[in-house]
Amino acid sequence: MPHIEITEECRALIESAVEPPTGRRLPNGNWVIPVNEATWERLQQARRQGETISDCIIRLMIVTLHKYGLQ
């Protein structure tokens, strides 16, 4: 199972929309969380050149929340 490193802001956005991701906090304030292979592949396909994983997740969540509305 791959692991990704995300920022605290990205983790907070994920938590506000779905549920808190499991993982561990790093000394720099970022988080390392496990993701399944399918999620890893989708993130890699959606990721723009030079974009961090956190930026990609935040962008995708904003688009999704805008498209389907806030709950």
Side-chain angles (χ1 to χ4, degrees):
M1 180 175 288
H3 289 75
I4 59 172
E5 184 174 333
I6 60 171
T7 62
E8 175 63 33
E9 295 81 8
C10 182
R11 184 185 177 283
L13 181 60
I14 294 168
E15 183 175 356
S16 73
V18 279
E19 60 185 49
T22 59
R24 64 182 172 83
R25 189 179 179 108
L26 299 173
N28 67 1
N30 288 347
W31 289 80
V32 172
I33 61 169
V35 294
N36 62 37
E37 291 289 335
T39 301
W40 172 252
E41 288 299 322
R42 285 193 303 266
L43 285 172
Q44 291 305 314
Q45 290 173 359
R47 196 169 165 191
R48 294 179 178 165
Q49 186 172 349
E51 187 175 50
T52 66
I53 289 289
S54 287
D55 290 341
C56 178
I57 293 168
I58 290 168
R59 177 176 52 82
L60 294 173
M61 290 191 69
I62 288 170
V63 168
T64 302
L65 290 171
H66 179 73
K67 184 175 180 178
Y68 296 106
L70 300 172
Q71 279 135 10

Short mmCIF file of all heavy atoms in Angstrom, two decimals:
data_model
loop_
_atom_site.label_atom_id
_atom_site.label_comp_id
_atom_site.label_asym_id
_atom_site.label_seq_id
_atom_site.Cartn_x
_atom_site.Cartn_y
_atom_site.Cartn_z
N MET A 1 0.85 -1.17 0.00
CA MET A 1 0.00 0.00 0.00
C MET A 1 0.90 1.24 0.00
O MET A 1 1.75 1.39 0.87
CB MET A 1 -0.91 -0.01 1.23
CG MET A 1 -1.84 1.18 1.28
SD MET A 1 -3.03 1.13 2.63
CE MET A 1 -4.12 -0.12 2.06
N PRO A 2 0.73 2.13 -0.98
CA PRO A 2 1.55 3.34 -1.01
C PRO A 2 1.17 4.32 0.11
O PRO A 2 0.05 4.27 0.63
CB PRO A 2 1.24 3.95 -2.37
CG PRO A 2 0.24 3.11 -3.04
CD PRO A 2 -0.13 2.00 -2.12
N HIS A 3 2.09 5.17 0.43
CA HIS A 3 1.86 6.23 1.41
C HIS A 3 2.13 7.57 0.72
O HIS A 3 3.02 7.66 -0.12
CB HIS A 3 2.80 6.09 2.60
CG HIS A 3 2.46 4.93 3.48
ND1 HIS A 3 2.74 3.63 3.13
CD2 HIS A 3 1.84 4.88 4.68
CE1 HIS A 3 2.31 2.83 4.08
NE2 HIS A 3 1.76 3.56 5.03
N ILE A 4 1.34 8.56 1.07
CA ILE A 4 1.56 9.90 0.53
C ILE A 4 1.77 10.87 1.68
O ILE A 4 1.28 10.65 2.79
CB ILE A 4 0.38 10.37 -0.36
CG1 ILE A 4 -0.94 10.39 0.42
CG2 ILE A 4 0.27 9.51 -1.61
CD1 ILE A 4 -2.09 11.02 -0.35
N GLU A 5 2.51 11.92 1.40
CA GLU A 5 2.72 12.98 2.38
C GLU A 5 1.85 14.17 1.99
O GLU A 5 1.93 14.64 0.86
CB GLU A 5 4.19 13.39 2.43
CG GLU A 5 4.48 14.41 3.50
CD GLU A 5 5.96 14.72 3.65
OE1 GLU A 5 6.80 13.85 3.33
OE2 GLU A 5 6.27 15.84 4.08
N ILE A 6 1.01 14.60 2.93
CA ILE A 6 0.13 15.73 2.67
C ILE A 6 0.31 16.79 3.75
O ILE A 6 0.79 16.50 4.84
CB ILE A 6 -1.36 15.30 2.60
CG1 ILE A 6 -1.81 14.66 3.92
CG2 ILE A 6 -1.60 14.37 1.43
CD1 ILE A 6 -3.30 14.40 4.01
N THR A 7 -0.09 18.01 3.43
CA THR A 7 0.02 19.10 4.38
C THR A 7 -1.11 19.04 5.40
O THR A 7 -2.12 18.35 5.21
CB THR A 7 -0.05 20.46 3.67
OG1 THR A 7 -1.33 20.57 3.03
CG2 THR A 7 1.07 20.63 2.65
N GLU A 8 -0.95 19.77 6.48
CA GLU A 8 -1.98 19.87 7.51
C GLU A 8 -3.26 20.45 6.93
O GLU A 8 -4.37 20.02 7.25
CB GLU A 8 -1.49 20.73 8.67
CG GLU A 8 -2.53 20.99 9.75
CD GLU A 8 -3.02 19.73 10.46
OE1 GLU A 8 -2.22 18.79 10.63
OE2 GLU A 8 -4.20 19.70 10.85
N GLU A 9 -3.14 21.44 6.03
CA GLU A 9 -4.30 22.06 5.40
C GLU A 9 -5.07 21.05 4.56
O GLU A 9 -6.31 21.01 4.59
CB GLU A 9 -3.88 23.25 4.53
CG GLU A 9 -3.28 24.40 5.30
CD GLU A 9 -1.82 24.24 5.67
OE1 GLU A 9 -1.17 23.28 5.21
OE2 GLU A 9 -1.30 25.07 6.44
N CYS A 10 -4.35 20.23 3.82
CA CYS A 10 -4.98 19.21 2.99
C CYS A 10 -5.69 18.20 3.89
O CYS A 10 -6.83 17.82 3.61
CB CYS A 10 -3.92 18.53 2.13
SG CYS A 10 -4.57 17.28 1.01
N ARG A 11 -5.05 17.78 4.95
CA ARG A 11 -5.66 16.82 5.88
C ARG A 11 -6.94 17.40 6.49
O ARG A 11 -7.96 16.73 6.60
CB ARG A 11 -4.70 16.43 6.98
CG ARG A 11 -5.25 15.37 7.91
CD ARG A 11 -4.30 15.10 9.08
NE ARG A 11 -4.88 14.14 9.98
CZ ARG A 11 -5.84 14.41 10.87
NH1 ARG A 11 -6.33 15.63 10.97
NH2 ARG A 11 -6.32 13.47 11.66
N ALA A 12 -6.91 18.69 6.87
CA ALA A 12 -8.08 19.34 7.45
C ALA A 12 -9.23 19.41 6.45
O ALA A 12 -10.40 19.20 6.82
CB ALA A 12 -7.72 20.73 7.95
N LEU A 13 -8.92 19.67 5.18
CA LEU A 13 -9.97 19.71 4.15
C LEU A 13 -10.58 18.33 3.96
O LEU A 13 -11.80 18.19 3.89
CB LEU A 13 -9.40 20.24 2.83
CG LEU A 13 -10.39 20.36 1.68
CD1 LEU A 13 -11.54 21.31 2.03
CD2 LEU A 13 -9.68 20.83 0.42
N ILE A 14 -9.75 17.30 3.92
CA ILE A 14 -10.26 15.93 3.79
C ILE A 14 -11.16 15.61 4.98
O ILE A 14 -12.26 15.09 4.82
CB ILE A 14 -9.10 14.92 3.69
CG1 ILE A 14 -8.32 15.11 2.40
CG2 ILE A 14 -9.63 13.48 3.80
CD1 ILE A 14 -7.00 14.34 2.34
N GLU A 15 -10.70 15.96 6.17
CA GLU A 15 -11.47 15.68 7.38
C GLU A 15 -12.81 16.40 7.38
O GLU A 15 -13.82 15.85 7.80
CB GLU A 15 -10.66 16.08 8.61
CG GLU A 15 -11.35 15.76 9.92
CD GLU A 15 -10.48 16.05 11.13
OE1 GLU A 15 -9.32 16.45 10.96
OE2 GLU A 15 -10.98 15.89 12.24
N SER A 16 -12.85 17.63 6.87
CA SER A 16 -14.10 18.39 6.85
C SER A 16 -15.10 17.83 5.84
O SER A 16 -16.30 17.99 6.01
CB SER A 16 -13.83 19.86 6.54
OG SER A 16 -13.48 20.04 5.19
N ALA A 17 -14.60 17.17 4.80
CA ALA A 17 -15.49 16.67 3.76
C ALA A 17 -15.90 15.21 3.97
O ALA A 17 -17.02 14.85 3.64
CB ALA A 17 -14.82 16.81 2.39
N VAL A 18 -15.03 14.41 4.48
CA VAL A 18 -15.35 12.99 4.64
C VAL A 18 -15.08 12.53 6.07
O VAL A 18 -15.96 12.58 6.91
CB VAL A 18 -14.62 12.09 3.61
CG1 VAL A 18 -15.34 12.12 2.29
CG2 VAL A 18 -13.19 12.46 3.42
N GLU A 19 -13.91 12.09 6.34
CA GLU A 19 -13.53 11.64 7.67
C GLU A 19 -12.03 11.83 7.83
O GLU A 19 -11.31 11.93 6.84
CB GLU A 19 -13.91 10.18 7.89
CG GLU A 19 -13.26 9.23 6.93
CD GLU A 19 -13.74 7.81 7.10
OE1 GLU A 19 -14.95 7.59 7.16
OE2 GLU A 19 -12.89 6.92 7.18
N PRO A 20 -11.56 11.88 9.06
CA PRO A 20 -10.12 12.09 9.23
C PRO A 20 -9.32 10.91 8.67
O PRO A 20 -9.62 9.76 8.98
CB PRO A 20 -9.92 12.21 10.73
CG PRO A 20 -11.19 11.83 11.37
CD PRO A 20 -12.25 11.78 10.32
N PRO A 21 -8.35 11.19 7.81
CA PRO A 21 -7.53 10.10 7.30
C PRO A 21 -6.62 9.56 8.38
O PRO A 21 -6.19 10.29 9.27
CB PRO A 21 -6.73 10.76 6.17
CG PRO A 21 -6.71 12.20 6.50
CD PRO A 21 -7.96 12.49 7.27
N THR A 22 -6.36 8.27 8.34
CA THR A 22 -5.43 7.68 9.28
C THR A 22 -4.01 7.98 8.81
O THR A 22 -3.75 8.09 7.62
CB THR A 22 -5.62 6.16 9.38
OG1 THR A 22 -5.42 5.60 8.09
CG2 THR A 22 -7.00 5.80 9.89
N GLY A 23 -3.14 8.14 9.72
CA GLY A 23 -1.76 8.42 9.36
C GLY A 23 -0.99 8.91 10.56
O GLY A 23 -1.48 8.89 11.69
N ARG A 24 0.21 9.37 10.29
CA ARG A 24 1.03 9.89 11.39
C ARG A 24 1.57 11.26 11.00
O ARG A 24 1.88 11.53 9.85
CB ARG A 24 2.14 8.92 11.75
CG ARG A 24 3.16 8.68 10.68
CD ARG A 24 4.21 7.65 11.13
NE ARG A 24 5.06 7.30 10.03
CZ ARG A 24 6.12 8.00 9.63
NH1 ARG A 24 6.48 9.07 10.31
NH2 ARG A 24 6.83 7.64 8.59
N ARG A 25 1.67 12.09 12.01
CA ARG A 25 2.17 13.45 11.82
C ARG A 25 3.69 13.44 11.83
O ARG A 25 4.31 12.80 12.67
CB ARG A 25 1.63 14.37 12.91
CG ARG A 25 1.90 15.81 12.65
CD ARG A 25 1.31 16.66 13.77
NE ARG A 25 1.60 18.04 13.50
CZ ARG A 25 0.72 18.93 13.11
NH1 ARG A 25 -0.54 18.58 12.98
NH2 ARG A 25 1.07 20.17 12.87
N LEU A 26 4.27 14.16 10.90
CA LEU A 26 5.72 14.28 10.80
C LEU A 26 6.20 15.50 11.59
O LEU A 26 5.41 16.42 11.86
CB LEU A 26 6.13 14.42 9.34
CG LEU A 26 5.75 13.25 8.43
CD1 LEU A 26 6.06 13.59 6.98
CD2 LEU A 26 6.49 11.99 8.85
N PRO A 27 7.48 15.56 11.95
CA PRO A 27 8.00 16.71 12.68
C PRO A 27 7.81 18.05 11.95
O PRO A 27 7.69 19.09 12.58
CB PRO A 27 9.49 16.39 12.83
CG PRO A 27 9.58 14.90 12.74
CD PRO A 27 8.47 14.49 11.81
N ASN A 28 7.74 18.02 10.60
CA ASN A 28 7.57 19.26 9.84
C ASN A 28 6.10 19.72 9.77
O ASN A 28 5.79 20.71 9.14
CB ASN A 28 8.15 19.13 8.44
CG ASN A 28 7.40 18.14 7.57
OD1 ASN A 28 6.43 17.53 7.98
ND2 ASN A 28 7.88 17.97 6.35
N GLY A 29 5.19 18.95 10.41
CA GLY A 29 3.78 19.32 10.43
C GLY A 29 2.95 18.64 9.35
O GLY A 29 1.73 18.69 9.40
N ASN A 30 3.59 18.02 8.39
CA ASN A 30 2.87 17.27 7.36
C ASN A 30 2.43 15.92 7.90
O ASN A 30 2.81 15.54 9.00
CB ASN A 30 3.75 17.07 6.12
CG ASN A 30 3.95 18.35 5.34
OD1 ASN A 30 3.27 19.34 5.54
ND2 ASN A 30 4.91 18.33 4.43
N TRP A 31 1.63 15.22 7.12
CA TRP A 31 1.11 13.92 7.51
C TRP A 31 1.49 12.88 6.46
O TRP A 31 1.50 13.18 5.27
CB TRP A 31 -0.41 13.97 7.62
CG TRP A 31 -0.88 14.74 8.80
CD1 TRP A 31 -0.97 16.09 8.91
CD2 TRP A 31 -1.30 14.22 10.06
NE1 TRP A 31 -1.43 16.44 10.16
CE2 TRP A 31 -1.65 15.31 10.87
CE3 TRP A 31 -1.44 12.92 10.56
CZ2 TRP A 31 -2.11 15.15 12.17
CZ3 TRP A 31 -1.91 12.77 11.85
CH2 TRP A 31 -2.23 13.87 12.63
N VAL A 32 1.75 11.67 6.89
CA VAL A 32 1.95 10.53 5.98
C VAL A 32 0.73 9.64 6.17
O VAL A 32 0.43 9.22 7.28
CB VAL A 32 3.24 9.75 6.30
CG1 VAL A 32 3.32 8.49 5.48
CG2 VAL A 32 4.45 10.62 6.07
N ILE A 33 0.01 9.42 5.07
CA ILE A 33 -1.20 8.60 5.14
C ILE A 33 -1.14 7.50 4.09
O ILE A 33 -0.59 7.70 3.00
CB ILE A 33 -2.49 9.43 4.97
CG1 ILE A 33 -2.53 10.13 3.61
CG2 ILE A 33 -2.66 10.44 6.09
CD1 ILE A 33 -3.86 10.74 3.29
N PRO A 34 -1.70 6.33 4.40
CA PRO A 34 -1.74 5.26 3.42
C PRO A 34 -2.90 5.47 2.45
O PRO A 34 -3.95 6.00 2.83
CB PRO A 34 -1.98 4.01 4.28
CG PRO A 34 -2.69 4.51 5.49
CD PRO A 34 -2.19 5.92 5.72
N VAL A 35 -2.70 5.11 1.22
CA VAL A 35 -3.77 5.13 0.21
C VAL A 35 -3.71 3.82 -0.56
O VAL A 35 -2.66 3.20 -0.67
CB VAL A 35 -3.64 6.31 -0.78
CG1 VAL A 35 -3.84 7.64 -0.07
CG2 VAL A 35 -2.32 6.30 -1.51
N ASN A 36 -4.85 3.40 -1.09
CA ASN A 36 -4.83 2.16 -1.86
C ASN A 36 -4.27 2.43 -3.26
O ASN A 36 -4.11 3.57 -3.68
CB ASN A 36 -6.22 1.50 -1.90
CG ASN A 36 -7.25 2.37 -2.57
OD1 ASN A 36 -6.98 3.07 -3.55
ND2 ASN A 36 -8.46 2.34 -2.05
N GLU A 37 -3.98 1.36 -3.96
CA GLU A 37 -3.35 1.47 -5.29
C GLU A 37 -4.21 2.26 -6.27
O GLU A 37 -3.70 3.05 -7.05
CB GLU A 37 -3.06 0.08 -5.86
CG GLU A 37 -1.98 -0.68 -5.12
CD GLU A 37 -0.59 -0.11 -5.36
OE1 GLU A 37 -0.37 0.54 -6.39
OE2 GLU A 37 0.28 -0.31 -4.49
N ALA A 38 -5.52 2.04 -6.23
CA ALA A 38 -6.42 2.73 -7.17
C ALA A 38 -6.40 4.23 -6.92
O ALA A 38 -6.35 5.03 -7.86
CB ALA A 38 -7.84 2.19 -7.04
N THR A 39 -6.41 4.63 -5.66
CA THR A 39 -6.35 6.06 -5.32
C THR A 39 -5.02 6.65 -5.76
O THR A 39 -4.97 7.75 -6.32
CB THR A 39 -6.55 6.26 -3.81
OG1 THR A 39 -7.83 5.73 -3.44
CG2 THR A 39 -6.47 7.73 -3.42
N TRP A 40 -3.93 5.93 -5.52
CA TRP A 40 -2.61 6.38 -5.93
C TRP A 40 -2.56 6.62 -7.45
O TRP A 40 -2.08 7.65 -7.91
CB TRP A 40 -1.56 5.37 -5.51
CG TRP A 40 -0.20 5.65 -6.04
CD1 TRP A 40 0.46 4.97 -7.01
CD2 TRP A 40 0.67 6.73 -5.66
NE1 TRP A 40 1.69 5.55 -7.25
CE2 TRP A 40 1.84 6.62 -6.43
CE3 TRP A 40 0.58 7.76 -4.74
CZ2 TRP A 40 2.90 7.51 -6.31
CZ3 TRP A 40 1.64 8.65 -4.62
CH2 TRP A 40 2.78 8.52 -5.39
N GLU A 41 -3.10 5.69 -8.21
CA GLU A 41 -3.11 5.82 -9.67
C GLU A 41 -3.96 7.01 -10.12
O GLU A 41 -3.55 7.76 -11.01
CB GLU A 41 -3.62 4.53 -10.32
CG GLU A 41 -2.66 3.37 -10.25
CD GLU A 41 -1.34 3.65 -10.96
OE1 GLU A 41 -1.36 4.31 -12.03
OE2 GLU A 41 -0.30 3.24 -10.43
N ARG A 42 -5.13 7.18 -9.51
CA ARG A 42 -6.00 8.31 -9.88
C ARG A 42 -5.32 9.64 -9.57
O ARG A 42 -5.41 10.59 -10.35
CB ARG A 42 -7.34 8.21 -9.18
CG ARG A 42 -8.24 7.16 -9.80
CD ARG A 42 -9.68 7.25 -9.32
NE ARG A 42 -9.82 7.16 -7.89
CZ ARG A 42 -10.08 6.04 -7.21
NH1 ARG A 42 -10.22 4.91 -7.86
NH2 ARG A 42 -10.20 6.05 -5.91
N LEU A 43 -4.64 9.72 -8.42
CA LEU A 43 -3.94 10.95 -8.07
C LEU A 43 -2.82 11.24 -9.06
O LEU A 43 -2.62 12.39 -9.47
CB LEU A 43 -3.37 10.87 -6.65
CG LEU A 43 -4.37 11.03 -5.52
CD1 LEU A 43 -3.71 10.73 -4.18
CD2 LEU A 43 -4.95 12.44 -5.52
N GLN A 44 -2.09 10.21 -9.45
CA GLN A 44 -1.00 10.41 -10.40
C GLN A 44 -1.52 10.87 -11.76
O GLN A 44 -0.90 11.68 -12.43
CB GLN A 44 -0.18 9.12 -10.54
CG GLN A 44 0.61 8.78 -9.31
CD GLN A 44 1.52 9.91 -8.85
OE1 GLN A 44 2.23 10.54 -9.64
NE2 GLN A 44 1.51 10.20 -7.56
N GLN A 45 -2.67 10.36 -12.18
CA GLN A 45 -3.26 10.76 -13.46
C GLN A 45 -3.80 12.19 -13.40
O GLN A 45 -3.73 12.91 -14.40
CB GLN A 45 -4.37 9.79 -13.85
CG GLN A 45 -3.86 8.43 -14.22
CD GLN A 45 -4.98 7.43 -14.44
OE1 GLN A 45 -6.16 7.75 -14.29
NE2 GLN A 45 -4.63 6.20 -14.78
N ALA A 46 -4.34 12.59 -12.26
CA ALA A 46 -4.94 13.92 -12.13
C ALA A 46 -3.91 15.00 -11.83
O ALA A 46 -4.15 16.18 -12.06
CB ALA A 46 -6.00 13.91 -11.02
N ARG A 47 -2.77 14.60 -11.35
CA ARG A 47 -1.74 15.55 -10.91
C ARG A 47 -1.15 16.30 -12.09
O ARG A 47 -0.78 15.71 -13.11
CB ARG A 47 -0.65 14.77 -10.18
CG ARG A 47 0.26 15.57 -9.36
CD ARG A 47 1.07 14.59 -8.51
NE ARG A 47 2.22 15.25 -7.95
CZ ARG A 47 3.21 14.62 -7.36
NH1 ARG A 47 3.18 13.31 -7.27
NH2 ARG A 47 4.21 15.30 -6.86
N ARG A 48 -1.08 17.62 -11.94
CA ARG A 48 -0.48 18.46 -12.99
C ARG A 48 1.02 18.54 -12.79
O ARG A 48 1.53 18.34 -11.68
CB ARG A 48 -1.09 19.85 -12.94
CG ARG A 48 -2.55 19.86 -13.29
CD ARG A 48 -3.12 21.23 -13.21
NE ARG A 48 -4.54 21.23 -13.60
CZ ARG A 48 -5.36 22.21 -13.36
NH1 ARG A 48 -4.96 23.29 -12.73
NH2 ARG A 48 -6.61 22.13 -13.75
N GLN A 49 1.74 18.89 -13.84
CA GLN A 49 3.19 18.99 -13.75
C GLN A 49 3.58 20.02 -12.70
O GLN A 49 3.08 21.15 -12.69
CB GLN A 49 3.77 19.38 -15.11
CG GLN A 49 5.28 19.37 -15.12
CD GLN A 49 5.83 19.57 -16.51
OE1 GLN A 49 5.12 19.51 -17.50
NE2 GLN A 49 7.12 19.81 -16.58
N GLY A 50 4.45 19.62 -11.79
CA GLY A 50 4.94 20.51 -10.74
C GLY A 50 4.01 20.65 -9.54
O GLY A 50 4.31 21.35 -8.60
N GLU A 51 2.86 19.98 -9.59
CA GLU A 51 1.88 20.08 -8.52
C GLU A 51 2.18 19.04 -7.44
O GLU A 51 2.49 17.89 -7.75
CB GLU A 51 0.48 19.84 -9.10
CG GLU A 51 -0.65 20.06 -8.16
CD GLU A 51 -2.00 19.92 -8.84
OE1 GLU A 51 -2.23 18.90 -9.54
OE2 GLU A 51 -2.83 20.82 -8.69
N THR A 52 2.08 19.45 -6.19
CA THR A 52 2.26 18.49 -5.10
C THR A 52 1.01 17.63 -4.96
O THR A 52 -0.06 17.99 -5.45
CB THR A 52 2.52 19.20 -3.76
OG1 THR A 52 1.34 19.92 -3.38
CG2 THR A 52 3.71 20.16 -3.83
N ILE A 53 1.15 16.53 -4.27
CA ILE A 53 -0.01 15.67 -4.00
C ILE A 53 -1.06 16.45 -3.23
O ILE A 53 -2.25 16.38 -3.53
CB ILE A 53 0.42 14.40 -3.23
CG1 ILE A 53 1.21 13.46 -4.13
CG2 ILE A 53 -0.78 13.67 -2.64
CD1 ILE A 53 0.40 12.76 -5.21
N SER A 54 -0.63 17.23 -2.23
CA SER A 54 -1.59 18.03 -1.45
C SER A 54 -2.33 19.02 -2.33
O SER A 54 -3.55 19.16 -2.23
CB SER A 54 -0.87 18.79 -0.33
OG SER A 54 -0.48 17.91 0.69
N ASP A 55 -1.61 19.72 -3.20
CA ASP A 55 -2.25 20.68 -4.09
C ASP A 55 -3.25 19.99 -5.02
O ASP A 55 -4.32 20.51 -5.28
CB ASP A 55 -1.22 21.44 -4.92
CG ASP A 55 -0.39 22.41 -4.09
OD1 ASP A 55 -0.82 22.77 -2.98
OD2 ASP A 55 0.69 22.80 -4.57
N CYS A 56 -2.89 18.81 -5.50
CA CYS A 56 -3.77 18.05 -6.37
C CYS A 56 -5.05 17.65 -5.62
O CYS A 56 -6.15 17.84 -6.13
CB CYS A 56 -3.04 16.80 -6.87
SG CYS A 56 -4.04 15.74 -7.93
N ILE A 57 -4.91 17.13 -4.42
CA ILE A 57 -6.07 16.72 -3.63
C ILE A 57 -6.95 17.92 -3.33
O ILE A 57 -8.18 17.86 -3.48
CB ILE A 57 -5.63 16.02 -2.33
CG1 ILE A 57 -4.96 14.69 -2.65
CG2 ILE A 57 -6.81 15.83 -1.38
CD1 ILE A 57 -4.24 14.05 -1.47
N ILE A 58 -6.35 19.03 -2.92
CA ILE A 58 -7.13 20.24 -2.61
C ILE A 58 -7.88 20.71 -3.86
O ILE A 58 -9.06 21.04 -3.79
CB ILE A 58 -6.21 21.34 -2.04
CG1 ILE A 58 -5.73 20.94 -0.65
CG2 ILE A 58 -6.93 22.69 -2.01
CD1 ILE A 58 -4.61 21.80 -0.10
N ARG A 59 -7.20 20.75 -5.01
CA ARG A 59 -7.84 21.18 -6.26
C ARG A 59 -9.02 20.26 -6.61
O ARG A 59 -10.12 20.74 -6.92
CB ARG A 59 -6.83 21.18 -7.40
CG ARG A 59 -7.40 21.55 -8.75
CD ARG A 59 -6.34 21.63 -9.83
NE ARG A 59 -5.48 20.48 -9.94
CZ ARG A 59 -5.81 19.36 -10.59
NH1 ARG A 59 -6.97 19.24 -11.18
NH2 ARG A 59 -4.94 18.36 -10.66
N LEU A 60 -8.82 18.97 -6.52
CA LEU A 60 -9.88 18.02 -6.85
C LEU A 60 -11.06 18.14 -5.88
O LEU A 60 -12.22 18.06 -6.30
CB LEU A 60 -9.34 16.59 -6.85
CG LEU A 60 -8.32 16.27 -7.94
CD1 LEU A 60 -7.73 14.88 -7.73
CD2 LEU A 60 -8.93 16.41 -9.32
N MET A 61 -10.77 18.36 -4.61
CA MET A 61 -11.85 18.49 -3.64
C MET A 61 -12.64 19.77 -3.84
O MET A 61 -13.86 19.78 -3.74
CB MET A 61 -11.30 18.40 -2.22
CG MET A 61 -10.83 16.99 -1.88
SD MET A 61 -10.46 16.77 -0.16
CE MET A 61 -12.10 16.88 0.54
N ILE A 62 -11.96 20.86 -4.17
CA ILE A 62 -12.66 22.13 -4.42
C ILE A 62 -13.57 21.99 -5.63
O ILE A 62 -14.72 22.41 -5.61
CB ILE A 62 -11.65 23.28 -4.59
CG1 ILE A 62 -11.02 23.62 -3.24
CG2 ILE A 62 -12.32 24.51 -5.19
CD1 ILE A 62 -9.85 24.57 -3.32
N VAL A 63 -13.06 21.38 -6.70
CA VAL A 63 -13.87 21.18 -7.90
C VAL A 63 -15.07 20.30 -7.58
O VAL A 63 -16.20 20.60 -7.97
CB VAL A 63 -13.02 20.56 -9.04
CG1 VAL A 63 -13.88 20.07 -10.18
CG2 VAL A 63 -11.99 21.57 -9.53
N THR A 64 -14.86 19.23 -6.86
CA THR A 64 -15.95 18.31 -6.51
C THR A 64 -16.98 18.99 -5.63
O THR A 64 -18.19 18.87 -5.87
CB THR A 64 -15.38 17.05 -5.82
OG1 THR A 64 -14.45 16.42 -6.69
CG2 THR A 64 -16.49 16.08 -5.46
N LEU A 65 -16.52 19.71 -4.61
CA LEU A 65 -17.45 20.39 -3.72
C LEU A 65 -18.23 21.47 -4.47
O LEU A 65 -19.41 21.67 -4.23
CB LEU A 65 -16.72 21.00 -2.53
CG LEU A 65 -16.17 19.99 -1.51
CD1 LEU A 65 -15.27 20.67 -0.50
CD2 LEU A 65 -17.29 19.24 -0.83
N HIS A 66 -17.58 22.17 -5.39
CA HIS A 66 -18.27 23.19 -6.19
C HIS A 66 -19.30 22.52 -7.11
O HIS A 66 -20.42 23.02 -7.25
CB HIS A 66 -17.25 23.97 -7.01
CG HIS A 66 -17.88 25.01 -7.88
ND1 HIS A 66 -18.41 26.17 -7.38
CD2 HIS A 66 -18.09 25.05 -9.22
CE1 HIS A 66 -18.90 26.88 -8.37
NE2 HIS A 66 -18.71 26.22 -9.49
N LYS A 67 -18.93 21.41 -7.72
CA LYS A 67 -19.81 20.73 -8.66
C LYS A 67 -21.03 20.12 -7.97
O LYS A 67 -22.15 20.24 -8.47
CB LYS A 67 -19.03 19.62 -9.37
CG LYS A 67 -19.81 18.91 -10.44
CD LYS A 67 -18.93 17.91 -11.17
CE LYS A 67 -19.70 17.19 -12.26
NZ LYS A 67 -18.85 16.25 -12.98
N TYR A 68 -20.83 19.50 -6.83
CA TYR A 68 -21.92 18.79 -6.16
C TYR A 68 -22.50 19.55 -4.97
O TYR A 68 -23.45 19.10 -4.35
CB TYR A 68 -21.46 17.41 -5.71
CG TYR A 68 -21.09 16.54 -6.88
CD1 TYR A 68 -19.76 16.26 -7.18
CD2 TYR A 68 -22.08 16.01 -7.71
CE1 TYR A 68 -19.43 15.47 -8.28
CE2 TYR A 68 -21.76 15.23 -8.81
CZ TYR A 68 -20.43 14.96 -9.08
OH TYR A 68 -20.10 14.19 -10.17
N GLY A 69 -21.92 20.69 -4.65
CA GLY A 69 -22.42 21.50 -3.55
C GLY A 69 -21.86 21.10 -2.21
O GLY A 69 -21.45 19.96 -2.00
N LEU A 70 -21.83 22.04 -1.33
CA LEU A 70 -21.35 21.78 0.03
C LEU A 70 -22.45 21.10 0.82
O LEU A 70 -23.62 21.38 0.66
CB LEU A 70 -20.95 23.09 0.72
CG LEU A 70 -19.83 23.87 0.03
CD1 LEU A 70 -19.66 25.22 0.70
CD2 LEU A 70 -18.54 23.09 0.08
N GLN A 71 -22.05 20.22 1.73
CA GLN A 71 -23.05 19.54 2.56
C GLN A 71 -22.94 19.94 4.00
O GLN A 71 -22.02 20.40 4.48
CB GLN A 71 -22.89 18.03 2.43
CG GLN A 71 -23.56 17.59 1.17
CD GLN A 71 -22.76 16.62 0.36
OE1 GLN A 71 -21.75 16.11 0.78
NE2 GLN A 71 -23.22 16.37 -0.83
#
